[in-house]
Amino acid sequence: MLAKRVGSRITCLSHVGRAALFRTASTVAPGLKPSLEPQITSKVKVHGEVDPKLVKPVLQWLLDDAAPMPFIPVEAKFESKAPSWLPIKAFCGAFTKDKLVHLDPSIFNHPIRQDILHACITWYRDGLRRGTASTKTRYEVNGSGRKLRPQKGSGRARLGDRGSPMLRGGGRAFGPKPRDFSTELPRKVRQMGLKVALSSKLRARRLTVVPSVTWPNAKTKWIAGRLKGLGREFQKGCLLVTGSDSLPPKLVRATSNLSWVTCKTAKEVQVWDLLARPY
């Protein structure tokens, strides 16, 4: 951040604006570039340049404490091609050392978008609602439709049949009826939600890669000990994901008694599954 003090107030020029400023200054005012340009290293790629007419006034503003803050329109776009690597940990079998797996940066280094995660979770939970709640209206309750008392002459309030919502045992006005609560969400938004969820797991160091999730037996005690060996906090919640079309039967049987372990294939994983469990 490039900043200067104006009296008791500090005004700042953003990193993106600084990059665009010196990018244009290198072509318009090359003589001022060596003395003012800092080393700019960022994952933000600047598209577009600053108006050349603003370069000299801005450079003068940087040197003049009394000058006001100029407006520099810049469009920025996140673009990262840095690869991500994770060590492979042994799940079943001999321990392997010094083995790394390459993670696609377009999936595991995605910008965190909380709005996308919220949309994916809302869409998923809406689909879980059964929508079977049902109540009876005044025409569906059991009873006669005869008017209980005359309209006039009794001195009491007007009243219809015994199915009136005002009476005990009568129908319900505006009650729920069976309906579908599922909502629509574009496929690309759901795919972006998975990328954001995986990226957040990687940044929080709560993502572990193993060669295979195949388990040799159905002993719950053994697999619980192995998972605890991978991480002490795995008992808070653990999601095992395999790239195969189906889960190993022995793995499913061994983890069926562990409430903190969930097994799913890569095709079945949703954003809710990744965020509902710490690991």
Side-chain angles (χ1 to χ4, degrees):
M1 185 71 71
L2 191 59
K4 71 167 189 175
R5 184 178 299 274
V6 182
S8 60
R9 182 184 61 179
I10 297 179
T11 57
C12 300
L13 184 64
S14 66
H15 184 90
V16 178
R18 182 182 59 179
L21 171 66
F22 287 109
R23 178 180 175 182
T24 309
S26 62
T27 58
V28 178
L32 299 176
K33 176 185 175 183
S35 59
L36 293 177
E37 179 179 11
Q39 294 183 356
I40 302 175
T41 58
S42 174
K43 296 182 181 179
V44 178
K45 185 176 181 180
V46 178
H47 296 277
E49 297 182 352
V50 181
D51 187 0
K53 298 180 180 179
L54 294 176
V55 174
K56 291 183 178 179
V58 171
L59 295 179
Q60 294 176 358
W61 168 83
L62 292 173
L63 302 177
D64 187 3
D65 292 340
M69 178 71 181
F71 173 73
I72 303 179
V74 174
E75 295 181 0
K77 178 182 178 182
F78 183 87
E79 191 172 283
S80 176
K81 297 182 179 179
S84 301
W85 302 85
L86 267 185
I88 299 180
K89 296 186 178 181
F91 181 67
C92 179
F95 179 74
T96 56
K97 294 183 178 181
D98 301 332
K99 285 190 176 182
L100 299 176
V101 60
H102 173 262
L103 303 179
D104 188 358
S106 62
I107 298 177
F108 293 92
N109 196 16
H110 197 279
I112 304 302
R113 293 281 303 274
Q114 295 185 0
D115 57 331
I116 298 296
L117 296 178
H118 180 269
C120 292
I121 291 177
T122 304
W123 166 80
Y124 176 74
R125 299 195 69 182
D126 286 345
L128 295 180
R129 299 187 66 174
R130 293 180 296 176
T132 57
S134 179
T135 56
K136 291 184 178 182
T137 64
R138 64 182 302 166
Y139 304 105
E140 295 173 341
V141 296
N142 187 21
S144 173
R146 182 180 65 88
K147 189 174 177 65
L148 295 179
R149 55 175 173 260
Q151 183 78 359
K152 293 178 179 292
S154 65
R156 305 180 66 183
R158 295 171 291 186
L159 193 61
D161 59 359
R162 68 174 304 274
S164 173
M166 296 186 299
L167 299 179
R168 181 175 179 269
R172 181 172 178 181
F174 310 109
K177 286 292 183 179
R179 66 187 183 98
D180 185 13
F181 283 92
S182 62
T183 55
E184 298 288 339
L185 190 66
R187 176 178 53 86
K188 292 185 177 180
V189 177
R190 285 179 271 144
Q191 293 177 350
M192 183 185 295
L194 289 173
K195 295 179 181 179
V196 174
L198 291 173
S199 300
S200 63
K201 287 289 183 182
L202 182 61
R203 295 182 185 182
R205 297 183 179 181
R206 294 187 173 183
L207 188 66
T208 305
V209 180
V210 296
S212 175
V213 293
T214 304
W215 194 250
N217 53 57
K219 295 293 184 180
T220 303
K221 181 179 179 179
W222 291 8
I223 194 170
R226 187 68 195 97
L227 291 175
K228 293 177 184 178
L230 293 176
R232 295 182 179 180
E233 297 184 355
F234 271 40
Q235 285 184 316
K236 296 181 179 179
C238 175
L239 175 65
L240 299 179
V241 182
T242 177
S244 305
D245 296 334
S246 61
L247 293 169
K250 294 183 179 180
L251 176 68
V252 176
R253 186 173 180 182
T255 58
S256 60
N257 289 333
L258 299 176
S259 59
W260 48 276
V261 179
T262 305
C263 301
K264 285 195 173 185
T265 61
K267 295 181 180 179
E268 300 173 346
V269 173
Q270 299 290 341
V271 176
W272 171 261
D273 300 325
L274 295 173
L275 299 182
R277 296 159 185 83
Y279 294 89

